[in-house]
mmCIF file of all heavy atoms in Angstrom:
data_model
loop_
_atom_site.group_PDB
_atom_site.id
_atom_site.type_symbol
_atom_site.label_atom_id
_atom_site.label_comp_id
_atom_site.label_asym_id
_atom_site.label_seq_id
_atom_site.Cartn_x
_atom_site.Cartn_y
_atom_site.Cartn_z
ATOM 1 N N ARG A 292 -9.359 -13.751 10.655
ATOM 2 C CA ARG A 292 -8.670 -15.049 10.683
ATOM 3 C C ARG A 292 -7.514 -15.030 11.675
ATOM 4 O O ARG A 292 -7.305 -16.009 12.415
ATOM 5 C CB ARG A 292 -8.146 -15.387 9.283
ATOM 6 C CG ARG A 292 -9.235 -15.794 8.293
ATOM 7 C CD ARG A 292 -8.634 -16.456 7.072
ATOM 8 N NE ARG A 292 -7.705 -15.573 6.371
ATOM 9 C CZ ARG A 292 -8.060 -14.765 5.381
ATOM 10 N NH1 ARG A 292 -9.325 -14.724 4.983
ATOM 11 N NH2 ARG A 292 -7.165 -13.996 4.782
ATOM 12 N N ALA A 293 -6.770 -13.933 11.716
ATOM 13 C CA ALA A 293 -5.637 -13.828 12.636
ATOM 14 C C ALA A 293 -6.109 -13.876 14.088
ATOM 15 O O ALA A 293 -5.477 -14.524 14.936
ATOM 16 C CB ALA A 293 -4.870 -12.539 12.374
ATOM 17 N N ALA A 294 -7.230 -13.210 14.379
ATOM 18 C CA ALA A 294 -7.761 -13.212 15.747
ATOM 19 C C ALA A 294 -8.229 -14.610 16.143
ATOM 20 O O ALA A 294 -7.986 -15.063 17.268
ATOM 21 C CB ALA A 294 -8.910 -12.218 15.854
ATOM 22 N N ARG A 295 -8.877 -15.312 15.226
ATOM 23 C CA ARG A 295 -9.328 -16.668 15.529
ATOM 24 C C ARG A 295 -8.156 -17.604 15.759
ATOM 25 O O ARG A 295 -8.175 -18.457 16.652
ATOM 26 C CB ARG A 295 -10.192 -17.188 14.380
ATOM 27 C CG ARG A 295 -11.572 -16.537 14.306
ATOM 28 C CD ARG A 295 -12.334 -17.002 13.082
ATOM 29 N NE ARG A 295 -13.676 -16.442 13.029
ATOM 30 C CZ ARG A 295 -14.501 -16.589 12.009
ATOM 31 N NH1 ARG A 295 -14.123 -17.288 10.941
ATOM 32 N NH2 ARG A 295 -15.708 -16.056 12.037
ATOM 33 N N SER A 296 -7.107 -17.451 14.953
ATOM 34 C CA SER A 296 -5.922 -18.284 15.105
ATOM 35 C C SER A 296 -5.254 -18.033 16.455
ATOM 36 O O SER A 296 -4.831 -18.972 17.140
ATOM 37 C CB SER A 296 -4.929 -17.992 13.975
ATOM 38 O OG SER A 296 -3.740 -18.724 14.142
ATOM 39 N N GLU A 297 -5.195 -16.767 16.856
ATOM 40 C CA GLU A 297 -4.595 -16.438 18.143
ATOM 41 C C GLU A 297 -5.411 -17.026 19.289
ATOM 42 O O GLU A 297 -4.850 -17.559 20.258
ATOM 43 C CB GLU A 297 -4.495 -14.921 18.307
ATOM 44 C CG GLU A 297 -3.871 -14.494 19.634
ATOM 45 C CD GLU A 297 -3.850 -12.990 19.805
ATOM 46 O OE1 GLU A 297 -4.382 -12.282 18.928
ATOM 47 O OE2 GLU A 297 -3.315 -12.529 20.834
ATOM 48 N N ASN A 298 -6.724 -16.962 19.180
ATOM 49 C CA ASN A 298 -7.579 -17.514 20.230
ATOM 50 C C ASN A 298 -7.411 -19.025 20.346
ATOM 51 O O ASN A 298 -7.403 -19.582 21.452
ATOM 52 C CB ASN A 298 -9.041 -17.168 19.951
ATOM 53 C CG ASN A 298 -9.346 -15.699 20.172
ATOM 54 O OD1 ASN A 298 -8.630 -15.022 20.920
ATOM 55 N ND2 ASN A 298 -10.385 -15.186 19.532
ATOM 56 N N ARG A 299 -7.270 -19.695 19.194
ATOM 57 C CA ARG A 299 -7.050 -21.147 19.229
ATOM 58 C C ARG A 299 -5.728 -21.481 19.903
ATOM 59 O O ARG A 299 -5.641 -22.426 20.701
ATOM 60 C CB ARG A 299 -7.084 -21.719 17.808
ATOM 61 C CG ARG A 299 -8.478 -21.858 17.223
ATOM 62 C CD ARG A 299 -8.475 -22.761 15.998
ATOM 63 N NE ARG A 299 -7.650 -22.203 14.924
ATOM 64 C CZ ARG A 299 -8.116 -21.423 13.968
ATOM 65 N NH1 ARG A 299 -9.396 -21.083 13.947
ATOM 66 N NH2 ARG A 299 -7.318 -20.968 13.026
ATOM 67 N N ASN A 300 -4.706 -20.710 19.588
ATOM 68 C CA ASN A 300 -3.393 -20.951 20.193
ATOM 69 C C ASN A 300 -3.429 -20.735 21.700
ATOM 70 O O ASN A 300 -2.821 -21.488 22.468
ATOM 71 C CB ASN A 300 -2.343 -20.044 19.551
ATOM 72 C CG ASN A 300 -2.058 -20.413 18.105
ATOM 73 O OD1 ASN A 300 -2.290 -21.554 17.690
ATOM 74 N ND2 ASN A 300 -1.551 -19.467 17.332
ATOM 75 N N LEU A 301 -4.152 -19.690 22.117
ATOM 76 C CA LEU A 301 -4.267 -19.423 23.552
ATOM 77 C C LEU A 301 -5.028 -20.542 24.250
ATOM 78 O O LEU A 301 -4.679 -20.945 25.369
ATOM 79 C CB LEU A 301 -4.974 -18.085 23.779
ATOM 80 C CG LEU A 301 -4.189 -16.829 23.404
ATOM 81 C CD1 LEU A 301 -5.067 -15.587 23.547
ATOM 82 C CD2 LEU A 301 -2.944 -16.687 24.283
ATOM 83 N N TYR A 302 -6.065 -21.052 23.589
ATOM 84 C CA TYR A 302 -6.846 -22.146 24.165
ATOM 85 C C TYR A 302 -5.986 -23.391 24.323
ATOM 86 O O TYR A 302 -6.008 -24.062 25.368
ATOM 87 C CB TYR A 302 -8.054 -22.446 23.285
ATOM 88 C CG TYR A 302 -8.852 -23.641 23.750
ATOM 89 C CD1 TYR A 302 -9.757 -23.529 24.803
ATOM 90 C CD2 TYR A 302 -8.688 -24.886 23.139
ATOM 91 C CE1 TYR A 302 -10.480 -24.640 25.242
ATOM 92 C CE2 TYR A 302 -9.407 -25.984 23.562
ATOM 93 C CZ TYR A 302 -10.301 -25.863 24.606
ATOM 94 O OH TYR A 302 -10.999 -26.959 25.032
ATOM 95 N N ARG A 303 -5.212 -23.715 23.290
ATOM 96 C CA ARG A 303 -4.344 -24.890 23.347
ATOM 97 C C ARG A 303 -3.284 -24.736 24.421
ATOM 98 O O ARG A 303 -2.983 -25.690 25.148
ATOM 99 C CB ARG A 303 -3.689 -25.108 21.987
ATOM 100 C CG ARG A 303 -4.658 -25.559 20.896
ATOM 101 C CD ARG A 303 -4.021 -25.482 19.535
ATOM 102 N NE ARG A 303 -4.963 -25.861 18.477
ATOM 103 C CZ ARG A 303 -4.766 -25.664 17.190
ATOM 104 N NH1 ARG A 303 -3.636 -25.066 16.780
ATOM 105 N NH2 ARG A 303 -5.673 -26.035 16.308
ATOM 106 N N ALA A 304 -2.719 -23.528 24.524
ATOM 107 C CA ALA A 304 -1.702 -23.297 25.548
ATOM 108 C C ALA A 304 -2.299 -23.438 26.939
ATOM 109 O O ALA A 304 -1.698 -24.033 27.842
ATOM 110 C CB ALA A 304 -1.097 -21.909 25.373
ATOM 111 N N GLY A 305 -3.518 -22.919 27.111
ATOM 112 C CA GLY A 305 -4.178 -23.037 28.412
ATOM 113 C C GLY A 305 -4.531 -24.472 28.741
ATOM 114 O O GLY A 305 -4.365 -24.923 29.877
ATOM 115 N N ALA A 306 -4.998 -25.221 27.739
ATOM 116 C CA ALA A 306 -5.345 -26.630 27.954
ATOM 117 C C ALA A 306 -4.101 -27.432 28.305
ATOM 118 O O ALA A 306 -4.126 -28.313 29.177
ATOM 119 C CB ALA A 306 -6.011 -27.200 26.707
ATOM 120 N N GLY A 307 -2.986 -27.117 27.650
ATOM 121 C CA GLY A 307 -1.741 -27.825 27.935
ATOM 122 C C GLY A 307 -1.247 -27.551 29.338
ATOM 123 O O GLY A 307 -0.758 -28.455 30.026
ATOM 124 N N GLU A 308 -1.392 -26.317 29.786
ATOM 125 C CA GLU A 308 -0.974 -25.955 31.136
ATOM 126 C C GLU A 308 -1.851 -26.646 32.177
ATOM 127 O O GLU A 308 -1.362 -27.134 33.208
ATOM 128 C CB GLU A 308 -1.041 -24.436 31.307
ATOM 129 C CG GLU A 308 -0.601 -23.924 32.678
ATOM 130 C CD GLU A 308 0.865 -24.173 32.960
ATOM 131 O OE1 GLU A 308 1.617 -24.519 32.014
ATOM 132 O OE2 GLU A 308 1.258 -24.044 34.134
#
Side-chain angles (χ1 to χ4, degrees):
R292 287 195 300 268
R295 288 175 177 174
S296 176
E297 180 183 4
N298 289 337
R299 283 195 298 268
N300 291 337
L301 290 174
Y302 175 80
R303 291 168 182 167
E308 181 65 13

